[in-house]
Amino acid sequence: MGLGFRMVFTDCDALIFDSDGVLVNSEVINIAVEQEYLAELGLTYDYATYVSRFVGLANADFHAQLAADFNEHVGGEFPQDFGSQLDERIWPRIEAELKPLDGVEKLVAAFGGRVAVGSSASIDKLVRKLELTKLERLFAPHIYSADHVQRGKPAPDLFLYAASQIDVQPERCVVIEDSVNGVLAARAANMTAIGFVGGGHADSGLAERLKASGAATVVSSHAEILEML
């Protein structure tokens, strides 16, 4: 890893991690189940378009965009129980298949600075995923979700809130994100963003889209970030 990549951490006092697709392998499960259910409702998306548009959004924004697409392309009212029906499909798989991504604990230990989680998931689901994968202890009590702010990603609010809670200036935070919406949020918060494509759901163009959104660099594993320290 060259000097230019190590400079990402020159003025870094804190790491803020997204969760789905960065800490745990849930994004690949989420996307598969979501696309299957949406196809049943008559909404189909190209995979790369789906990942770019929807990954990283808070549930309210995700559902609002789907409802608009449904009205335009299918017609009628989008199912009011979409969220609960989706949960019934996703959570049995989460409980059975969820795993932590390799290298998280080593990275947190080696970094030695302040760490937090900033995820678009609801707080109860976020905490449950971290409990299932035994990662909660690495970050508690600094586990923050879209529930803590009025505007979700790509707005900067969640990352700014996390920075305020760990008492670190935004410009001294590095965010690890797997989504275009998350990278945009980090950059809007005046934070450095590292794009992450090691969550199992990345298509061939995701790395370039993360760079185009403002990521300083893109990695495919936490071991690569460890080499930057």
Side-chain angles (χ1 to χ4, degrees):
M1 196 70 67
L3 178 61
F5 293 112
R6 290 194 176 95
M7 288 179 66
V8 168
F9 289 96
T10 300
D11 298 312
C12 174
D13 294 328
L15 283 179
I16 303 176
F17 294 77
D18 179 42
S19 179
D20 294 312
V22 171
L23 296 176
V24 297
N25 70 333
S26 49
E27 206 66 87
V28 67
I29 300 171
N30 294 341
I31 293 170
V33 176
E34 288 163 2
Q35 287 206 293
E36 180 181 30
Y37 183 26
L38 288 169
E40 292 175 13
L41 297 175
L43 280 178
T44 58
Y45 298 89
D46 169 81
Y47 185 85
T49 300
Y50 188 88
V51 170
S52 292
R53 280 190 63 190
F54 300 126
V55 171
L57 291 179
N59 282 338
D61 297 323
F62 175 45
H63 295 171
Q65 290 194 28
L66 290 176
D69 287 357
F70 187 84
N71 182 63
E72 179 179 355
H73 299 293
V74 180
E77 186 177 1
F78 190 63
Q80 294 293 313
D81 63 348
F82 174 79
S84 61
Q85 290 294 319
L86 191 60
D87 282 347
E88 288 184 11
R89 295 171 180 237
I90 285 179
W91 273 90
R93 289 193 56 182
I94 292 290
E95 296 281 347
E97 302 173 31
L98 192 69
K99 295 179 180 179
L101 295 183
D102 290 341
V104 173
E105 188 162 359
K106 285 184 179 179
L107 175 57
V108 170
F111 176 63
R114 299 181 186 184
V115 294
V117 177
S119 169
S120 292
S122 62
I123 189 63
D124 57 336
K125 293 173 183 174
L126 171 58
V127 170
R128 178 58 180 158
K129 290 172 188 174
L130 296 177
E131 288 174 342
L132 284 169
T133 52
K134 297 180 171 55
L135 294 178
E136 184 193 21
R137 60 188 171 79
L138 300 179
F139 300 100
H142 299 299
I143 299 170
Y144 306 111
S145 89
D147 292 347
H148 289 102
V149 294
Q150 288 192 333
R151 299 185 303 167
K153 304 172 189 177
D157 303 33
L158 177 56
F159 290 139
L160 290 173
Y161 180 79
S164 72
Q165 295 302 298
I166 57 177
D167 196 26
V168 176
Q169 292 299 308
E171 63 271 18
R172 299 190 69 85
C173 296
V174 170
V175 173
I176 304 172
E177 262 288 355
D178 68 318
S179 72
V180 167
N181 289 309
V183 170
L184 291 172
R187 297 303 298 131
N190 197 28
M191 299 178 182
T192 298
I194 295 176
F196 189 84
V197 294
H201 64 285
D203 61 90
S204 60
L206 180 58
E208 287 305 316
R209 297 197 301 276
L210 294 175
K211 289 179 184 177
S213 300
T217 188
V218 176
V219 300
S220 59
S221 70
H222 291 293
E224 289 181 57
I225 302 174
L226 186 61
E227 292 179 15
M228 297 182 196
L229 299 180

